[in-house]
């Protein structure tokens, strides 16, 4: 029997779970489908915290939060979306708190807030350095309390398109094998980010940009896909991130000569300049030969044992295990690593896309809140504010629809044929080498700094990797937990996505936020590029167009920290 629901949410991280809870509370029959158990989603790796202008640790207001976000975005964020986000964030924090998120508190008993990069006031609410972990657990409890169905460990492979737009999904059942069809009147993409396109990344293995690629294949546009944020403090080679909260609370960066080099790049904000600025400063130090084995040093020795153990227990563990240093006595070697994709599926503030019954929220989406550079702490908040809004809108759409949710048998038969072809192939190349070359070459040619010749070379490399991928070989043909198969499918997504990213980057002939071209176009060019890139996939090629930025009250200005 075919399974069907009013609303189907793809992805069970913070965005997916928040969307499902809201769609349920709006009266829809809702289910989630996820390739991971919900609490294993990457949201759980978020440590530093979540931003809302509560004003508990210094004067603050949603207006100030919005101004900081606009500046952080290098004026590419849509200001109406930013204002709405900043106004709604405080209410969502109180709701999470009522649901059981035990945020740290001040001595007076208010929710504590720590300083974060690019923020004019301490605005980041947190639970020690395990904020994302706690939010995932709290949302999962709310899911269980509502008895919301989760199809867990199902890998969504296709959006099924029919006469009424998207009719549901086809998913590979990981523990049992076989394709399953799940029909729905409205589908919400909440599949998270795509950092695994790069070799050095903070992102979990599952962050392969699946939802962005599914959307592309369904004819939707990716917005601002050239903007990948590099986090300044990742440990090499694991890519594990040392939370920005360390710098927020006074940790500082040194080069191999012991120089506190941020004073040359951001004399006022120093380590708390926004992430693109700090990553570029580090990369410059590394490129100019003032590194220690390709890293700079993050010093938190002056925190002392009490503060380090109480607030940065997990961070100390990470440093001990993955860098072999104890931050109580030695600085931690760190370097920039791919962290957050500002670009994604273009949506409005209710998660609506241009395909009638498809919605998107969280890192997979581009509202656009972050523009060319995201501020730390804004993306956990994005999953909650825009997850909630997308859940409400999708429920409204599904409940207003009178058509039955069903998937045409032909769609399923076609997909089964295609999958059988892949599994029957006896000659070809296994995905691993292609994936490694993709990650290494993206790092080299489309990293912190970019340049015309390198980007053109990268497009050629991607073309040859895509050619090799046409003959990709899935060695393991078993039904049960066939990660060989899912990794091959993920690689296909990553290759399409990388082509879109580099194609948009090549055409953006300026430096803005995370897209920095110091050699050929070192300055921001508002006259020609104060606009969003949109990439669609047509005839197996990316097709680029542009869309204006929505400006309400903040005119672009010089951006210095
Ligand atoms: C190490 C790290 C630290 C961070 N720290 C912070 C922080 O302190 N503050 C902050 O604001 N932000 C932080 N971020 C960013 C933030 O955590 C993420 O942007 C956000 O949590 C993404 O949530 P999401 O729900 O969109 O996606 P995710 O949490 O990644 O969830 C994606 C879901 O989609 C599912 N999925 C994906 N593909 C498929 C498929 N093909 N089929 C079925 N299911 C699929 C997965 O199973 C998963 O459930 C951090 C990110 C990282 C990587």
């Amino acid at each position: 029997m075919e399974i069907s629901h009013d609303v189907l949410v793809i992805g069970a991280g913070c965005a997916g779970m928040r969307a499902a809870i809201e769609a349920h509370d709006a009266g829809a029959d809702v289910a989630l489908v996820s390739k991971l158990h919900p609490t294993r989603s990457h949201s759980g790796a978020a440590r530093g915290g979540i931003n809302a202008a509560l004003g508990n640790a210094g004067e603050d207001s949603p207006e100030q939060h919005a101004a900081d976000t606009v500046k952080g975005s290098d004026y590419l964020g849509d200001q109406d979306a930013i204002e709405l986000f900043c106004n709604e964030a405080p209410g969502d924090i109180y709701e999470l708190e009522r649901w059981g998120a035990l945020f740290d508190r001040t001595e007076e008993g208010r929710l504590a807030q720590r300083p974060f990069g690019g923020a004019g006031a301490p605005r980041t609410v947190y639970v020690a350095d395990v904020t994302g972990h706690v939010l995932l657990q709290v949302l999962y409890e709310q899911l269980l309390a509502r008895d919301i169905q989760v199809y867990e460990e199902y890998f969504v492979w296709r959006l099924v398109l029919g006469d009424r737009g998207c009719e549901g999904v086809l998913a590979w059942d990981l523990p049992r094998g076989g394709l399953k069809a799940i029909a729905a009147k409205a589908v919400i993409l909440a599949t998270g980010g795509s950092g695994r396109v790069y070799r050095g990344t903070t992102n979990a293995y599952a962050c392969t940009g699946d939802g962005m690629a599914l959307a592309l294949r369904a004819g939707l546009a990716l917005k601002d896909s050239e903007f990948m944020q590099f986090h300044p403090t990742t440990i090499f080679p694991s890519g594990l991130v040392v939370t920005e909260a360390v710098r927020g609370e006074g940790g500082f960066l040194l080069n191999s000569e012991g120089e506190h080099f941020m004073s040359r790049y951001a004399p006022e904000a120093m380590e708390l300049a926004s992430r693109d600025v700090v990553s570029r400063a580090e990369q410059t130090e590394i490129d100019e030969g003032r590194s220690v084995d390709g890293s700079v040093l993050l010093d938190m020795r002056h925190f002392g044992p009490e503060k380090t153990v109480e607030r940065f227990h997990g961070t100390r563990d990470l440093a001990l295990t993955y860098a072999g240093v104890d931050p109580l006595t030695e600085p931690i070697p760190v370097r920039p690593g791919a962290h957050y994709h500002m670009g994604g599926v273009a949506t409005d503030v209710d998660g609506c896309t241009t395909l009638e019954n498809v919605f998107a929220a969280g890192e997979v989406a581009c509202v656009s809140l972050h523009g060319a550079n995201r501020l730390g702490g804004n993306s956990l908040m994005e999953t909650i504010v825009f997850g909630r809004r997308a859940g409400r809108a999708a429920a409204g759409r599904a409940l207003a629809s009178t058509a039955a949710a069903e998937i045409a048998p032909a769609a399923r038969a076609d997909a089964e044929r295609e999958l059988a072809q892949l599994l029957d192939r006896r000659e070809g190349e296994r995905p691993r080498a292609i994936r490694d070359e993709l990650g290494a070459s993206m790092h080299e040619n489309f990293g912190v700094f970019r340049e015309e010749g390198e980007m053109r070379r990268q497009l050629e490399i991607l073309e040859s990797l895509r050619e090799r991928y046409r003959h990709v070989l899935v060695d393991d043909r078993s039904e049960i937990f066939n990660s060989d198969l899912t990794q091959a499918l993920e690689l296909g997504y990553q290759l399409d996505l990388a082509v879109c990213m580099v194609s948009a980057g090549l055409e953006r002939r300026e430096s803005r936020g995370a897209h920095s071209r110091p050699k050929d176009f070192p300055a921001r060019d508002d006259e020609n590029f104060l606009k969003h890139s949109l990439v669609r996939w047509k005839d197996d090629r990316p097709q680029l167009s542009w869309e204006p930025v929505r400006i309400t009250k903040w005119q672009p200005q010089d951006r210095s920290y």
Side-chain angles (χ1 to χ4, degrees):
M1 199 186 70
E2 188 174 285
I3 315 166
S4 78
H5 295 277
D6 290 334
V7 175
L8 181 67
V9 184
I10 312 178
C14 282
M17 288 202 278
R18 186 64 193 86
I21 291 165
E22 191 70 13
H24 172 275
D25 291 355
D29 158 40
V30 54
L32 293 105
V33 53
S34 173
K35 66 181 179 181
L36 304 172
H37 180 273
T39 58
R40 295 180 64 100
S41 302
H42 186 65
S43 292
R47 296 175 167 269
I50 174 167
N51 290 347
L54 309 177
N56 286 348
E59 242 177 71
D60 199 8
S61 64
E63 167 107 3
Q64 182 60 42
H65 186 183
D68 290 342
T69 303
V70 169
K71 179 178 171 188
S73 81
D74 219 348
Y75 297 91
L76 196 70
D78 282 331
Q79 297 182 6
D80 51 350
I82 292 174
E83 285 188 81
L84 178 147
F85 166 81
C86 297
N87 285 330
E88 294 191 355
D92 279 313
I93 289 289
Y94 296 131
E95 181 168 64
L96 287 169
E97 209 254 340
R98 278 199 303 275
W99 283 350
L102 287 173
F103 295 119
D104 283 23
R105 288 181 176 268
T106 62
E107 304 249 301
E108 305 81 57
R110 305 169 81 92
L111 299 185
Q113 298 192 273
R114 58 171 43 135
F116 245 54
R123 181 177 297 140
T124 306
V125 180
Y126 59 95
V127 188
D129 58 0
V130 289
T131 312
H133 176 81
V134 168
L135 294 185
L136 268 186
Q137 305 296 328
V138 163
L139 292 169
Y140 190 54
E141 276 175 16
Q142 294 297 318
L143 216 62
L144 294 179
R146 289 166 175 77
D147 229 356
I148 294 174
Q149 167 98 45
V150 185
Y151 300 100
E152 66 184 52
E153 300 188 316
Y154 277 63
F155 180 94
V156 173
W157 178 50
R158 282 279 188 277
L159 297 180
V160 181
L161 303 182
D163 296 341
R164 48 173 198 91
C166 179
E167 298 179 337
V169 306
L170 291 168
W172 178 257
D173 179 344
L174 291 162
R176 287 160 290 264
L179 269 188
K180 295 278 184 314
I182 310 176
K185 294 180 178 178
V187 167
I188 304 178
L189 293 167
T191 49
S194 61
R196 284 275 149 190
V197 169
Y198 287 82
R199 179 191 55 198
T201 176
T202 66
N203 284 198
Y205 281 99
C207 301
T208 45
D210 302 6
M212 299 182 198
L214 290 172
L216 271 179
R217 289 174 189 188
L220 291 171
L222 294 188
K223 197 173 194 174
D224 295 334
S225 59
E226 63 273 39
F227 295 103
M228 171 64 71
Q229 173 168 83
F230 280 75
H231 193 293
T233 55
T234 75
I235 297 175
F236 183 79
S238 64
L240 287 163
V241 75
V242 178
T243 172
E244 183 161 311
V246 169
R247 280 173 290 133
E249 302 211 12
F252 54 84
L253 293 163
L254 301 172
N255 62 18
S256 60
E257 290 159 20
E259 183 202 2
H260 188 178
F261 59 86
M262 280 311 297
S263 59
R264 280 190 276 116
Y265 300 89
E268 284 183 30
M270 302 288 281
E271 274 75 4
L272 286 186
S274 77
R275 287 180 177 171
D276 55 331
V277 176
V278 183
S279 285
R280 276 196 294 278
E282 290 181 0
Q283 195 62 49
T284 305
E285 293 299 302
I286 294 166
D287 291 348
E288 292 180 357
R290 291 183 293 277
S291 74
V292 179
D293 297 331
S295 294
V296 294
L297 301 170
L298 176 63
D299 200 343
M300 54 188 283
R301 286 174 291 189
H302 53 295
F303 288 5
E306 199 178 318
K307 177 163 162 180
T308 300
V309 171
E310 187 190 315
R311 293 201 201 160
F312 297 105
H313 182 76
T315 302
R316 182 174 174 223
D317 256 6
L318 277 186
L320 280 165
T321 311
Y322 293 96
V325 306
D326 185 346
L328 287 178
T329 54
E330 277 176 280
I332 314 171
V334 293
R335 62 177 74 175
H339 184 55
Y340 179 90
H341 203 163
M342 269 77 72
V345 181
T347 72
D348 69 8
V349 292
D350 292 311
C352 301
T353 69
T354 51
L355 191 57
E356 176 81 2
N357 38 10
V358 175
F359 298 76
E363 191 167 338
V364 67
C366 179
V367 178
S368 137
L369 167 65
H370 312 295
N373 173 67
R374 166 186 80 106
L375 295 186
N378 267 359
S379 52
L380 277 181
M381 197 69 249
E382 161 188 43
T383 66
I384 304 298
V385 171
F386 292 111
R388 171 174 54 73
R389 295 183 66 94
R392 174 83 33 186
R397 189 74 58 81
L399 293 173
S401 154
T402 50
E406 55 190 10
I407 286 178
R412 185 188 176 128
D414 286 351
E416 269 174 353
R417 226 180 351 263
E418 204 181 318
L419 204 57
Q421 264 175 12
L422 175 64
L423 289 169
D424 286 346
R425 196 174 287 157
R426 286 294 178 269
E427 272 178 39
E429 183 179 355
R430 296 192 64 191
R432 188 188 154 152
I434 305 176
R435 191 181 58 214
D436 289 352
E437 284 174 50
L438 168 69
S441 61
M442 285 296 281
H443 227 101
E444 200 157 303
N445 297 322
F446 202 65
V448 172
F449 295 121
R450 293 141 184 210
E451 181 261 321
E452 174 106 12
E454 287 171 358
M455 285 189 275
R456 290 203 180 280
R457 190 152 58 250
Q458 186 58 17
L459 282 179
E460 284 166 19
I461 292 172
L462 290 172
E463 204 38 62
S464 76
L465 294 177
R466 291 182 73 231
E467 182 53 39
R468 281 161 60 187
Y469 181 75
R470 288 190 185 99
H471 311 284
V472 76
L473 180 71
V474 177
D475 220 19
D476 180 357
R477 291 180 187 90
S478 61
E479 294 271 289
I480 297 170
F481 275 112
N482 187 343
S483 55
D484 222 22
L485 171 65
T486 48
Q487 286 182 15
L489 299 177
E490 287 169 347
L491 177 60
Y493 297 152
Q494 289 173 296
L495 287 166
D496 289 357
L497 193 54
V499 172
C500 295
M501 293 165 70
V502 182
S503 304
L506 195 57
E507 294 304 319
R508 186 174 283 284
R509 296 195 163 77
E510 64 160 352
S511 289
R512 183 187 297 271
H515 182 64
S516 174
R517 303 180 62 162
K519 288 194 189 138
D520 48 8
F521 297 100
R524 195 177 79 198
D525 176 358
D526 288 331
E527 203 171 310
N528 295 304
F529 289 103
L530 186 58
K531 56 189 183 184
H532 301 292
S533 70
L534 289 172
V535 185
R536 287 190 171 73
W537 199 253
K538 269 237 162 100
D539 304 325
D540 207 32
R541 288 259 158 279
Q543 197 181 62
L544 188 69
S545 59
W546 302 91
E547 187 181 270
V549 173
R550 290 198 300 276
I551 291 182
T552 55
K553 51 177 119 149
W554 295 279
Q555 289 306 317
Q557 289 176 8
D558 262 359
R559 179 166 167 262
S560 60
Y561 285 98

